[in-house]
Amino acid sequence: MTADLLGFEQPQHTYTYLFCDLRTDELLAELPLSGVSYSYALNAPGTLRGTIPYNAETLLLDPETASAPARTAVYVDRDGVLVWGGIVWTRQNTTGGKAIQASEFLSYYQHRYVKTTLSTDTSLLTNTAYVPTGQRLYPDQKHIAWSLLRYAHAQAGGDIGVDINALAGTGHGVTRTQTYYGYERPEILKAITDLASAEDGFDFSIEVGWTPGGAGQVPQRYRRAQTWYPRRGRAAADSGLVFSKGGGYGSILDYDWPEDGTSLVTEMSGLGAGSGEARIVKTAQATDLISSGWPLLEAVETYEGVIDDTLVQSMTNSDLTARSQATVQPSFEVAADGDPAFGSYSVGDEALFVIDPETQSPSGRSAVLRIVGIEVTAKAGPERVRLSCVGA
């Protein structure tokens, strides 16, 4: 046990780093890492950074093969729980070894593109069978995401072992009219992100973990695609999460609670496909803010390749909602083993954050915020977690 800065005892944690073949998931080596930090992000790939020491012990494990960029995966096991998994993308020399950077498995789909036109509109297709044997997309937004991943996996060398069966079940009940033109080569992750970020959209991720095992079965690693509708995480009333700072107690060690009016928008214009006067242009306005005294503050977003008027309007509405609430984007450094403990919350959760009165906040601060990013500094002793938040 180690005494934390806040005065309570914290347990030691055991970290193991498993390097595997990206396509087969065959274990190549268990390698030590130093200076490790890993993160999660809402609807985007989190990252990992660390250094593999090159010495007499590790060189026997062939770290060059085990950590080859774009060819290998790395998993983070914390006390027997897989808490992170992704793809090694870069490796470079550093003092005493090689520094690697990896991104969660979602990052693979930043390197995959639609090369054949896929659409919910059969009039645009030469092969009206459903993906992957044909070009047709199911109309529910969840099944469109499923089809895009099925399309990616059906190509030679394109299946990295992500289980997408959960996306094939009951849909979200949200119908989209969507076309991805092969000649435009849309990126698959961006296509899913745009779909998810539209009004009435969803959250998504690729989760990793161990299967339960038992009854003669050895636990296996898994990579599973998941969606959450209408959104991931628990409301503050359901999560019961409270992070606090004051009086020498609470789990918040440090915080930054900025206010940024430069990012506030009260009217958003969204530009879809087309050119000239034929281009799709939609507008959304925060009439409640304007009527209460806020000025007209405009912004423009471009949604390349989006040909459906309803989807352009929906994405415009969603961007307005996000940016009309963008005046507060705080971050907090918390003790991993404080209360709430790391592992009891995830991206998407809402929590109550309370700062007792102090010099920088004479009246104190209190707000329900949504956690959209988590970064962990991995070490055997007391860990630190940085939470990035937005208004709930």
Side-chain angles (χ1 to χ4, degrees), residues 139-391:
D140 189 275
Q141 63 180 6
K142 178 181 179 182
H143 297 149
I144 292 174
W146 175 57
S147 294
L148 288 168
L149 295 180
R150 287 188 78 200
Y151 169 83
H153 294 178
Q155 298 173 61
D159 188 348
I160 61 166
V162 174
D163 182 354
I164 61 173
N165 288 331
L167 277 59
T170 303
H172 296 157
V174 179
T175 298
R176 304 290 190 194
T177 300
Q178 190 62 49
T179 299
Y180 303 102
Y181 290 105
Y183 59 80
E184 292 182 342
R185 292 296 197 268
E187 177 197 298
I188 287 178
L189 180 57
K190 186 177 185 304
I192 295 174
T193 300
D194 287 347
L195 191 68
S197 63
E199 188 177 35
D200 207 20
F202 57 95
D203 292 330
F204 62 96
S205 179
I206 294 176
E207 304 290 286
V208 300
W210 292 108
T211 59
Q217 298 295 316
V218 177
Q220 302 291 322
R221 291 176 296 274
Y222 64 76
R223 312 167 182 174
R224 293 176 184 163
Q226 292 186 211
T227 64
W228 293 264
Y229 176 78
R231 68 183 213 170
R232 180 179 186 176
R234 299 163 292 174
D238 297 323
S239 74
L241 297 168
V242 179
F243 295 89
S244 61
K245 182 179 190 295
Y249 299 97
S251 61
I252 297 176
L253 305 174
D254 197 8
Y255 70 96
D256 183 22
W257 205 318
E259 296 173 286
D260 182 7
T262 64
S263 58
L264 183 68
V265 173
T266 56
E267 183 177 284
M268 177 68 69
S269 294
L271 309 181
S275 60
E277 293 298 324
R279 185 162 199 174
I280 299 174
V281 180
K282 298 295 180 182
T283 303
Q285 189 176 85
T287 54
D288 56 334
L289 292 181
I290 293 175
S291 63
S292 66
W294 291 90
L296 180 64
L297 300 168
E298 299 172 305
V300 179
E301 289 290 344
T302 301
Y303 314 118
E304 295 289 352
V306 181
I307 64 172
D308 179 55
D309 284 53
T310 302
L311 184 57
V312 173
Q313 183 67 71
S314 180
M315 295 171 75
T316 304
N317 295 345
S318 182
D319 277 334
L320 175 68
T321 299
R323 296 187 61 179
S324 64
Q325 301 173 349
T327 54
V328 178
Q329 295 182 336
S331 62
F332 304 86
E333 184 179 359
V334 302
D337 291 299
D339 182 17
F342 173 64
S344 67
Y345 49 84
S346 68
V347 290
D349 279 341
E350 292 179 2
L352 174 63
F353 291 82
V354 180
I355 307 296
D356 283 356
E358 57 183 19
T359 303
Q360 291 185 324
S361 300
S363 300
R365 306 197 71 159
S366 177
V368 172
L369 303 170
R370 191 181 189 204
I371 301 170
V372 295
I374 300 174
E375 182 177 1
V376 184
T377 300
K379 50 187 175 181
E383 300 164 298
R384 299 292 179 265
V385 180
R386 180 163 294 277
L387 305 179
S388 300
C389 301
V390 297

